[in-house]
Amino acid sequence: MSPRTRTRRLRGIGVSDGIAIGRAVVIARREGEVFRIPIPEEEIEQEVERLRSACEETKRGIQRTRNSAGQLFGQELAAIFDAHQLMLGDRSFITEIERRIRRDRVNAEWAVHESSLELTRKFALIDDEYLRERGQDLEDVSRQLLRTLQGISQHEVSEVAGDVILVADDIVPSEAIRLGRANVVGFVIEAGGRTSHTSIIARSLGIPAVAGVEGITGMVTNEDPIVVDGREGLVVLHPGPETLAKYSGERAAEKSLEAATAPAEREEVLVTRDGAEVELLANIDLPEEIGEFVASGAHGIGLYRSEFLYMETDPHLPTEEDHLRIYRQLIEAAAPYPATIRTYDLGGRKLAREMMESAEENPVLGLRGIRLTLARPQIFRIQLRALLRAGLHGNLWIMGPLVSRVEEIRELRAALAEVAAELERDGVPFGREPRIGIMIEVPAAAVIADILAREVDFFAIGTNDLIQYSLAVDRNNRQVAHLYEPLHPAILRMLRSVIASGRAAGIPVSLCGEMGGDERYLPVLLGLGLRRFSVHPRAVARLRKLASRCDADALAPIADSCCDLATAGEVEKYLRSRPVTALLQREAK
Ligand code: PEP
Ligand code: MG
């Protein structure tokens, strides 16, 4: 057996359960180093052709970005992309690169790299400031062209027959949706952790995924056979016949278990062993989850991430009717329970990457969530109109993401009032009394939860971001994934105080981050006073079973003691040592 086809087992972080078996398609999108590769005489024209088609593909990509940018940020910003397209169409720029390929007999990447260096040096010497700045555009275009040359194009995924395991250094959520709906059956990603949006999408689509697998894109080539074990966080390259048989058996068992699971009774109220009522709601990202949600028996939708609607219609913004269609579907599926629809949480990584990258140095701390929508009233208005209209069809709860200030709630309410007046004037019917709430996912909001509670009808705690921002740990960064600690005493204290503030104000407090669906944290969350969980539809049944065995009163002093411990490790150990939580933790495994 050659070293390249020897069976290898690689460990990562299991981020979406299940077994997948298929053939690899490798997408390495981060810019790699550019190497000079000599090209034989007879292949020169082929290399020139490769450059030309990369130019065309890059132009198409820029056009897509331009359309979105025009709609979201106005024509002035979109003009930047016109300049990029013009450069790619400029014969002198492309001819120079072609000349290098022919003259130096080198690969297209090297020729782009060298030509761009030379030209940017020349631009830097120009006196005229405007022209000098065009050097940056040139660099930008060259970088995009290089990416196209280095990456693989979209159609290659569909070119591989049968089941595809996508192996990537990093993929943004919109790509994960697109690829997950094609013939991709498993994801293996170098970046990321459990709460990255790409991982969340993998779970939404029910696709097994392992993240944080260092260097895998360099070890695998297209068409290599691979097994992904999402529960164990394991990837097997070139599995032998025995390994394949083992995993095929496990996969078949999983499928028959899924088929045999009966839909849950929706009416049943969940009570803990000592009689505390607990509400279980579901998180929904994609329309294909609505069926699963109904079957789960969850009492409503605790989070619909509406920004994923934008990603589906990208490069066009969803119309009012697009919004209305999905919102109505959700509200009707959830009735009589609430459907909580979060207004766009775009920005950060949840936007065409090209769009924010050039505009913001640190997009996760930038124009994201409610800040972005309040800054783009003409786009927000479309979403708010659709929301109010959809409110006619059931129990609508509207939720603002990434709130950090009271003013944002007031502005959201004012925007809603304005849209309501407009609908009234136009004689368009709409629901008059949606509940208005916010995500608690910024530390500042957690600290002033008692003040915010006076302004809203409900809270939903977003631990994915609350942990990221409180611990200063990027939820998508593999290198600090070990520092992403839901049991950090700072997080537990914050949760305790937010839950108490909500309770004192008499408003519902749910938790809709990934922590809520992770059974290991159930005892401590119940102990902190949480009585409303919003989790993935597939997690509902299990959580229901475990919660019904808990004794909420006995868990309260245990959770309190956890808040006084020094480290997440100590908290974990302490929880394991208490008979009442140890039992649940063992079962949760
Ligand atoms: C969260 O931050 O916990 C949350 C639910 O929102 P998202 O994962 O979409 O950022
Ligand atoms: Mg969030």
Side-chain angles (χ1 to χ4, degrees), residues 183-200:
N183 50 341
V184 171
V185 297
F187 289 112
V188 184
I189 311 161
E190 289 185 2
R194 253 196 90 71
T195 63
S196 84
H197 284 105
T198 300
S199 303
I200 290 172

Side-chain angles (χ1 to χ4, degrees), residues 186-399:
F187 289 112
V188 184
I189 311 161
E190 289 185 2
R194 253 196 90 71
T195 63
S196 84
H197 284 105
T198 300
S199 303
I200 290 172
I201 285 298
R203 287 198 286 280
S204 294
L205 292 168
I207 297 180
V210 178
V213 189
E214 198 174 344
I216 186 146
T217 52
M219 300 176 206
V220 179
T221 34
N222 286 343
E223 304 269 347
D224 279 355
I226 298 200
V227 172
V228 178
D229 181 344
R231 178 163 269 262
E232 293 298 320
L234 188 70
V235 178
V236 187
L237 304 184
H238 297 287
E242 264 175 39
T243 312
L244 262 184
K246 169 182 166 297
Y247 281 111
S248 301
E250 282 181 23
R251 190 179 53 175
E254 257 174 16
K255 294 247 182 283
S256 60
L257 192 71
E258 269 167 33
T261 311
E265 272 304 319
R266 195 128 184 240
E267 273 65 44
E268 246 174 72
V269 174
L270 166 60
V271 282
T272 59
R273 221 171 45 170
D274 57 338
E277 276 191 27
V278 175
E279 290 174 272
L280 283 184
L281 295 93
N283 291 349
I284 291 194
D285 302 321
L286 305 171
E288 45 262 64
E289 290 171 290
I290 295 179
E292 250 182 328
F293 154 66
V294 172
S296 75
H299 284 188
I301 296 169
L303 167 66
Y304 168 65
R305 292 180 166 94
S306 71
E307 58 276 14
F308 286 120
L309 178 62
Y310 164 82
M311 293 183 194
E312 294 197 37
T313 57
D314 178 42
H316 304 289
L317 281 165
T319 62
E320 189 174 319
E321 294 308 313
D322 290 332
H323 283 288
L324 185 58
R325 206 173 311 117
I326 177 80
Y327 298 163
R328 191 172 165 176
Q329 235 180 318
L330 295 166
I331 291 170
E332 287 177 349
Y337 301 105
T340 313
I341 299 180
R342 181 172 76 181
T343 60
Y344 280 152
D345 184 12
L346 288 164
R349 282 167 50 88
K350 284 189 285 184
L351 195 59
R353 199 181 342 204
E354 310 82 295
M355 240 153 99
M356 299 303 278
E357 209 176 44
S358 53
E360 291 189 315
E361 285 251 319
N362 200 348
V364 175
L365 297 181
L367 204 50
R368 206 202 126 171
I370 194 128
R371 304 167 184 179
L372 181 62
T373 43
L374 289 175
R376 309 273 178 258
Q378 62 292 27
I379 292 163
F380 200 22
R381 185 183 143 262
I382 295 170
Q383 179 169 43
L384 295 182
R385 273 181 68 99
L387 276 169
L388 288 184
R389 288 176 62 195
L392 268 186
H393 302 281
N395 190 353
L396 170 66
W397 293 25
I398 298 174
M399 175 157 79

